[in-house]
Amino acid sequence: MAHKKWVVRQADKDRATAISEKFNIDPLIAYMLTARGMDDDITASKFLADSYETVSPFNFADMEEAAFTVGDAIDCGEKICIYGDYDCDGVTATTLMLLFLQSEGADVFAYIPDREQEGYGLNREAVDYIHSQGANLIVTVDNGISSIDEAEYIYSLGMRLVVTDHHQIGDALPRAEAVVNPHREDNDLDFREYCGAGVAFKLICAISDEDVSTLVDRYIDLVALGTIADVVPLLGENRSFVKQGLHRINTAPRKSIAPFCKNCKDRIGVTEVAFQISPRINVMGRLGDAMKAVDFLLCEDEKECEKKYLQLSEQNAKRQEIEKNIVDSVEKQIAENPKLASDRVIVVAGKGYHHGIVGIVASRILEHYGKPTFIIGIDDKGFARGSARSVDGFNIVNAISACSDDLLKFGGHPLAAGVSLEEEKIDLFRKHINDYAYKNYYVMPAQELVIDCKLAPHYINVDLVNNISVLEPYGNGNPSPVFGVYKMKIAGLVSLADGKHTRLELEKKGKRIQVAKFSVSPQDLPFDVGDIVNVAINVSNTLFNGKPSLRAVDIVLSGVDDDRYFKEKNDYEIYKSQGVADKSLYPDRDACAAVYKYLRAKGGFNYSLEDLYFRLQNEVTYGQLMHAVKAFKQAGLIEYNGKIILKQSKGKVDLASTKVLTTLKGRITSG
């Protein structure tokens, strides 16, 4: 995984003390709340409250018109179409609107476009089909805000439209009886980050004559699924949605959700929804017909639910296989052409990459290399569609906009976007978006790991587990706490699950803790017994032998200078791409000697060159190390293919005459 810059949250200690005393909570929790921006009494009170936070649906602009239009259509017996989206948020929003309108006696059906054939949002062919079914009113959920032309077409056919959406608003609103969107400037809302299911639920609250508590009991589990799946901030009313929804799922799950509870070892939480339930609901929209996911959620027959659950699991396994194949293909391309990974923005394309999977792969490649990433699939006709994921601080939509001449279509958010283009334009797009990155970001934003606070090991106990539980549920905007435990000595590395995982035995001043590092064997962990490390940890509420279970989020050698690392790596990558070099990149005799001496003492090196750099940061720059290793290889001193193997020297070697160093020296001189 890419090295991340640790950023420790800061808080006003006096304000934290005041919150601790006022609400009678642990001082550490008060400090964390303050550091997370909940530093006033009202915000802290709402966050800590067990009661359901209710925002009037009529604080949304156009909500009264939306409720009247849908209610009138029900009363008049008009046929209503719920037009949804194929992701988990869209599926749950579609399901809860269907359930509600059916309970009101509406003549209603649902339509979700095919991801591959139709793409996102309203389209004319779908509108024609809906019109042919006799619909008088279309109600969108989780889409519609950008469907300007399609809205006009709906009215040209004599139908009406109500839009409920949560995506960003463009220059104009679509023609509709009502447009309900939390991002409208004329809303009376303090919190606006609802998902599509959340907005749909607010419309239900506006239409229904029943108490909110009744509607919460009936639909809140679906709202919670959509809220978690769409990774909107778990703050404000979203926090209430998820708290109440998880309670419903764990105490009285609907028939379709019961198989997930049955197959979960512990209670269903945000993590289980995000990694077990949501992917299985999403998969139908990725690989098949998203309406099958709606049918699954609507199912009331226990045996049929079990059958559909197994079908979703099979499809999810198929999705995982497709994902792995694409990841393997991308990594192979990068291995054959390392420049793809040394670019500021990674752009990799391949024939047959599934359009519904490339976004997941882009996220994985971003996590591995720490850079904005585009993964593009090319079909048999030379039409290419891709998904992008970015890091905080690099607005991917702005970058794409600067290259719009290369594209047929694009759209998205600062951290995630989609593009469509012709196959022959891919190389040009890669060049142009990297030119943009080099021109506008001399130093690319680094991936950051936010540490809630530094923690001494003796504070890690059952009391800590109990105290931090008041922060749940965790999610976007309210992440699971990450604690930084510094300057710990590795006393042991223990293999778990036949080498699949590692348990680190860490100690400091007589206090020992055990931390699990998942998906890494002791042999692949670039640390030795005796190393002094900083460890970022999550603390689980599951106890092991009466002690908290700890999971390593990240491990770094103590004393590593992050700012220096990112600057030096940036200088090296500029040289690789632009040919701009200075003396800090050139490994002189002393630098080469320091690197070779370490390699000889270790008998080679089995880990990444990044890991080698962290061992030698006080002796060489990043650029010096990279060039020294290449010079050693060209001089026949080592073999390097992911790890360094020393070779027997046949005599004195003149490293300065190697191609890599003569080229570098020439560029430094000419510069």
Side-chain angles (χ1 to χ4, degrees):
M1 294 295 111
H3 181 74
K4 294 182 175 67
K5 183 176 182 179
W6 288 24
V7 178
V8 181
R9 295 186 194 268
Q10 301 297 318
D12 183 326
K13 293 182 179 179
D14 292 338
R15 187 84 277 272
T17 299
I19 288 177
S20 173
E21 293 174 351
K22 184 175 183 65
F23 296 102
N24 192 29
I25 59 175
D26 182 80
L28 176 64
I29 304 306
Y31 182 89
M32 291 172 62
L33 286 176
T34 305
R36 291 183 175 205
M38 287 167 275
D39 54 359
D40 64 85
D41 291 352
I42 294 176
T43 305
S45 176
K46 287 183 177 180
F47 184 86
L48 295 168
D50 290 327
S51 59
Y52 181 82
E53 179 180 346
T54 302
V55 175
S56 170
F58 297 104
N59 288 1
F60 287 75
D62 271 10
M63 184 64 84
E64 189 171 347
E65 292 85 349
F68 174 81
T69 301
V70 177
D72 188 55
I74 297 171
D75 294 340
C76 295
E78 296 183 47
K79 181 168 279 191
I80 303 170
C81 176
I82 306 302
Y83 194 101
D85 184 35
Y86 38 68
D87 67 2
C88 185
D89 182 22
V91 166
T92 51
T94 302
T95 303
L96 70 92
M97 283 298 296
L98 265 177
L99 284 170
F100 170 73
L101 292 179
Q102 287 170 349
S103 73
E104 294 289 303
D107 183 2
V108 60
F109 69 101
Y111 184 94
I112 297 179
D114 181 274
R115 180 192 289 263
E116 284 293 310
Q117 302 301 320
E118 300 174 80
Y120 171 77
L122 289 162
N123 65 83
R124 287 199 173 206
E125 290 75 14
V127 171
D128 285 337
Y129 170 78
I130 293 166
H131 182 250
S132 74
Q133 299 302 300
N136 306 100
L137 174 66
I138 296 176
V139 180
T140 70
V141 290
D142 195 29
N143 72 96
I145 197 65
S146 60
S147 300
I148 306 299
D149 294 338
E150 292 81 5
E152 292 293 340
Y153 186 61
I154 287 169
Y155 278 88
S156 75
L157 295 176
M159 295 187 291
R160 294 173 297 153
L161 175 66
V162 168
V163 172
T164 75
D165 199 356
H166 72 114
H167 294 96
Q168 294 295 322
I169 299 172
D171 295 333
L173 295 177
R175 179 183 178 184
E177 305 303 301
V179 177
V180 180
N181 187 306
H183 296 292
R184 286 185 58 163
E185 292 183 0
D186 49 348
N187 289 321
D188 183 20
L189 297 172
D190 294 325
F191 180 80
R192 297 171 181 264
E193 300 303 320
Y194 294 84
C195 70
V199 177
F201 180 67
K202 300 309 290 186
L203 174 57
I204 288 173
C205 292
I207 298 170
S208 179
D209 293 329
E210 295 186 278
D211 292 338
V212 172
S213 60
T214 302
L215 299 174
V216 166
D217 184 61
R218 194 177 297 160
Y219 305 115
I220 202 64
D221 56 336
L222 296 173
V223 182
L225 293 182
T227 300
I228 295 169
D230 218 52
V231 204
V232 289
L234 296 194
L235 302 170
E237 196 170 15
N238 286 346
R239 180 171 169 80
S240 295
F241 289 160
V242 172
K243 287 181 74 172
Q244 296 293 324
L246 291 177
H247 177 74
R248 163 73 192 275
I249 289 170
N250 284 287
T251 56
R254 65 180 66 238
K255 292 285 196 301
S256 54
I257 301 301
F260 291 102
C261 301
K262 181 180 176 182
N263 288 281
C264 183
K265 294 180 180 179
D266 204 349
R267 68 184 294 277
I268 298 288
V270 171
T271 299
E272 287 71 29
V273 171
F275 294 101
Q276 298 296 325
I277 301 179
S278 175
R280 285 169 170 78
I281 295 174
N282 265 328
V283 74
M284 296 312 301
R286 294 187 187 279
L287 301 183
D289 179 3
M291 280 303 300
K292 290 182 179 179
V294 174
D295 293 339
F296 166 69
L297 290 175
L298 291 172
C299 186
E300 290 287 341
D301 182 270
E302 186 173 336
K303 289 185 177 179
E304 189 66 18
C305 285
E306 287 280 357
K307 179 181 176 181
K308 291 178 182 292
Y309 167 80
L310 292 175
Q311 291 172 344
L312 290 178
S313 295
E314 289 172 2
Q315 284 291 92
N316 193 51
K318 180 180 178 182
R319 186 270 303 168
Q320 290 171 329
E321 182 180 354
I322 294 171
E323 177 187 334
K324 182 181 183 302
N325 290 338
I326 298 175
V327 169
D328 290 345
S329 172
V330 170
E331 291 288 7
K332 182 180 179 182
Q333 287 195 56
I334 290 174
E336 293 172 350
N337 181 11
K339 187 181 182 302
L340 290 172
S342 65
D343 279 346
R344 286 293 176 87
V345 180
I346 296 174
V347 180
V348 180
K351 292 279 189 182
Y353 287 1
H354 197 291
H355 177 59
I357 311 296
V358 290
I360 304 173
V361 176
S363 295
R364 291 188 56 176
I365 299 302
L366 163 66
E367 185 67 20
H368 186 80
Y369 292 98
K371 297 181 176 184
T373 299
F374 287 79
I375 304 298
I376 300 173
I378 308 166
D379 67 18
D380 293 336
K381 298 179 181 179
F383 180 69
R385 287 191 292 176
S387 288
R389 299 293 184 268
S390 191
V391 298
D392 280 320
F394 186 85
N395 188 313
I396 200 70
V397 173
N398 289 348
I400 295 171
S401 298
C403 311
S404 59
D405 289 346
D406 300 328
L407 305 173
L408 298 172
K409 187 178 179 181
F410 70 91
H413 307 290
L415 296 180
V419 295
S420 299
L421 67 164
E422 296 169 349
E423 180 181 1
E424 57 265 26
K425 291 289 187 70
I426 292 174
D427 289 341
L428 198 61
F429 173 70
R430 180 187 295 110
K431 178 183 183 304
H432 287 162
I433 201 159
N434 273 285
D435 287 346
Y436 171 89
Y438 279 106
K439 179 180 178 181
N440 293 279
Y441 295 84
Y442 183 78
V443 177
M444 283 289 283
Q447 269 190 307
E448 295 182 347
L449 175 63
V450 177
I451 308 294
D452 280 281
C453 64
K454 297 179 180 181
L455 203 63
H458 67 269
Y459 279 111
I460 302 172
N461 51 36
V462 176
D463 287 340
L464 175 66
V465 173
N466 294 332
N467 288 331
I468 65 175
S469 65
V470 302
L471 300 175
E472 294 180 341
Y474 304 128
N476 182 26
N478 183 45
S480 177
V482 178
F483 300 104
V485 188
Y486 288 71
K487 296 183 179 179
M488 301 294 293
K489 181 180 180 180
I490 297 180
L493 296 169
V494 181
S495 176
L496 301 176
D498 297 324
K500 293 180 181 178
H501 315 298
T502 300
R503 185 177 74 231
L504 292 91
E505 305 280 351
L506 304 173
E507 64 180 14
K508 180 180 180 181
K509 296 181 180 179
K511 176 67 176 179
R512 179 173 288 208
I513 60 174
Q514 297 178 342
V515 180
K517 179 62 177 175
F518 292 110
S519 303
V520 182
S521 68
Q523 293 74 27
D524 292 332
L525 202 63
F527 303 103
D528 300 318
V529 172
D531 281 343
I532 307 299
V533 295
N534 301 338
V535 185
I537 62 169
N538 284 145
V539 179
S540 170
N541 55 14
T542 302
L543 301 182
F544 180 74
N545 292 333
K547 297 180 180 180
S549 297
L550 309 179
R551 181 180 71 87
V553 179
D554 196 14
I555 311 170
V556 297
L557 285 172
S558 189
V560 166
D561 186 333
D562 279 347
D563 290 334
R564 178 178 166 187
Y565 162 73
F566 286 111
K567 180 189 180 303
E568 291 177 358
K569 184 177 182 181
N570 185 72
D571 292 342
Y572 174 73
E573 290 185 344
I574 287 177
Y575 167 69
K576 291 290 294 178
S577 177
Q578 309 291 312
V580 179
D582 61 40
K583 292 180 180 180
S584 69
L585 299 172
Y586 190 86
D588 58 17
R589 183 186 182 92
D590 290 341
C592 288
V595 176
Y596 193 74
K597 180 181 178 182
Y598 181 86
L599 294 175
R600 191 168 57 188
K602 293 291 183 179
F605 198 72
N606 294 330
Y607 311 108
S608 73
L609 294 184
E610 307 273 317
D611 294 313
L612 180 58
Y613 166 78
F614 296 133
R615 297 280 177 180
L616 297 170
Q617 190 183 54
N618 292 330
E619 299 184 69
V620 296
T621 68
Y622 186 91
Q624 285 175 333
L625 174 63
M626 298 300 141
H627 286 110
V629 170
K630 290 180 182 179
F632 293 162
K633 183 177 180 180
Q634 291 179 1
L637 293 175
I638 65 169
E639 291 180 3
Y640 178 69
N641 187 18
K643 62 181 181 179
I644 296 174
I645 301 172
L646 296 177
K647 296 175 68 175
Q648 188 68 37
S649 176
K650 296 181 180 180
K652 190 173 182 180
V653 173
D654 182 12
L655 292 174
S657 65
T658 57
K659 182 178 179 181
V660 63
L661 295 191
T662 54
T663 300
L664 174 59
K665 192 168 187 177
R667 288 183 177 174
I668 292 172
T669 303
S670 63

